[in-house]
Amino acid sequence: MKDWVMAVRPWSFPASAMPVAVTLAYLWWMGAEVNWVNGVWALLNIIVFHAAGNTWSDYFDYRRKVDAKDTFSVRTLTEGLFAPKEIFRLSVGLLAVALAGGAGLLWRTGLPLLYIGIGGVACTLLYPPLKYRSLGDVVIFVAYALLPMLGTAYVATGFMDWNTLWIALPVGLITVAILHANNTRDIPTDRRAHIRTLAMTLGGRVSVFLYAFEVLFPFGWIAGCAAGGMFPWWSLLTLPALCMAWGNVRRMRLFFSIGREGIVGVDERTAQLQLLFSLLLIVSFVVARMLS
């Protein structure tokens, strides 16, 4: 059972869960009448979707020899813990559960959710081939920022609230930075597998600067939105996370002097940053609503 749990990479779930949680907190601060049952349902469902996507990606990465014994990948397939067909069946089973949950939400809400769901399924199934063609970062932003935030707003309030895009950008950029740090570290092994990620297309040096933008710009965005009235001033509670972001940038800069060995673990640190940033943003919206 422990191996099966590890196969879905539960430590990565905040990347999908936090956008939904931040959206619910934002809607509550905005004064919307939130359907919390639908909101929690959406939160749980996207985690199952995420688990399906993780195993789906692992299966195709193993088949394409992107993941091997000398890469920093999950070891479920490279060390023979599971047969490829087992991971494939697990992925299909999880996707079926997620689709069933999505169908239930569709029945409780309305047709617009169908289009968001189709987009989410497409992102899950097409992620491997698109990642191999430098589009993985775009897919992650769509799948773990735009679609879940719009979808959560719809199921929780009954209408599309495009204001959620104000929060999609900062949360989504840090989420994308998790993948980008991973791909920057894996440039040599990805080149060997004859795939092309965005990090490979840009090169290591530019990729480091792009990572710095992805984790630092969100703090400027939050401050700007607070000054413009889109967010409460309490949203500046996210600023302490800037220390972690800057520490990650300094670690990422080791790529210049040490190479890929110097940035091992930056993807995990970025996931921790995304969790901290999102939790602080949630707290800021809750505090602002309670004190209003």
Side-chain angles (χ1 to χ4, degrees):
M1 179 59 68
K2 179 181 178 181
D3 290 340
W4 283 106
V5 171
M6 296 297 288
V8 300
R9 286 185 268 157
W11 58 85
S12 69
F13 291 162
S16 56
M18 285 298 101
V20 175
V22 170
T23 302
L24 292 173
Y26 173 75
L27 293 170
W28 191 58
W29 167 70
M30 291 283 287
E33 186 175 344
V34 177
N35 185 320
W36 294 103
V37 172
N38 286 357
V40 173
W41 191 328
L43 177 67
L44 296 176
N45 211 54
I46 195 171
I47 290 175
V48 179
F49 256 118
H50 192 171
N54 282 345
T55 49
W56 185 263
S57 178
D58 288 345
Y59 172 78
F60 282 96
D61 281 352
Y62 182 77
R63 288 285 302 272
R64 282 291 300 266
K65 301 186 184 305
V66 176
D67 289 345
K69 290 186 177 181
D70 63 339
T71 61
F72 296 97
S73 59
V74 178
R75 304 299 184 183
T76 51
L77 287 172
T78 57
E79 293 188 353
L81 293 176
F82 294 96
K85 64 180 180 180
E86 291 179 307
I87 295 298
F88 181 80
R89 290 170 182 168
L90 174 61
S91 182
V92 172
L94 289 169
L95 185 59
V97 173
L99 288 174
L105 269 179
L106 177 64
W107 177 74
R108 289 175 59 88
T109 55
L111 190 60
L113 186 63
L114 175 63
Y115 307 122
I116 294 176
I118 291 174
V121 172
C123 286
T124 298
L125 298 180
L126 297 178
Y127 173 70
L130 291 176
K131 181 182 75 170
Y132 304 155
R133 294 168 174 80
S134 302
L135 294 173
D137 301 61
V138 176
V139 175
I140 291 300
F141 186 79
V142 173
Y144 295 128
L146 295 183
L147 291 180
M149 288 182 160
L150 287 174
T152 300
Y154 178 71
V155 301
T157 65
F159 63 93
M160 292 287 187
D161 189 346
W162 296 98
N163 287 320
T164 56
L165 297 183
W166 292 112
I167 53 176
L169 185 63
V171 176
L173 278 178
I174 299 178
T175 303
V176 170
I178 301 173
L179 172 69
H180 187 63
N182 181 289
N183 288 344
T184 302
R185 180 200 65 202
D186 291 344
I187 286 177
T189 52
D190 286 344
R191 183 177 293 113
R192 182 185 64 192
H194 304 292
I195 68 170
R196 178 163 291 277
T197 63
L198 179 61
M200 292 175 63
T201 300
L202 297 176
R205 179 170 292 274
V206 177
S207 290
V208 171
F209 289 116
L210 177 59
Y211 175 86
F213 171 80
E214 289 172 339
V215 299
L216 296 179
F217 178 79
F219 295 93
W221 180 266
I222 292 292
C225 287
M230 280 77 76
F231 295 165
W233 282 108
W234 283 102
S235 63
L236 297 181
L237 284 174
T238 57
L239 290 180
L242 183 59
C243 295
M244 180 181 287
W246 182 246
N248 286 355
V249 171
R250 293 184 62 184
R251 180 70 178 266
M252 195 71 173
R253 290 178 60 195
L254 292 177
F255 183 85
F256 297 143
S257 56
I258 303 178
R260 66 192 296 255
E261 297 297 331
I263 63 173
V264 172
V266 175
D267 53 344
E268 297 176 6
R269 293 169 182 263
T270 310
Q272 295 168 1
L273 170 65
Q274 194 258 17
L275 177 61
L276 176 62
F277 179 86
S278 298
L279 288 175
L280 290 175
L281 192 55
I282 290 170
V283 168
S284 73
F285 289 137
V286 171
V287 170
R289 171 64 186 269
M290 294 179 66
L291 297 181
S292 62

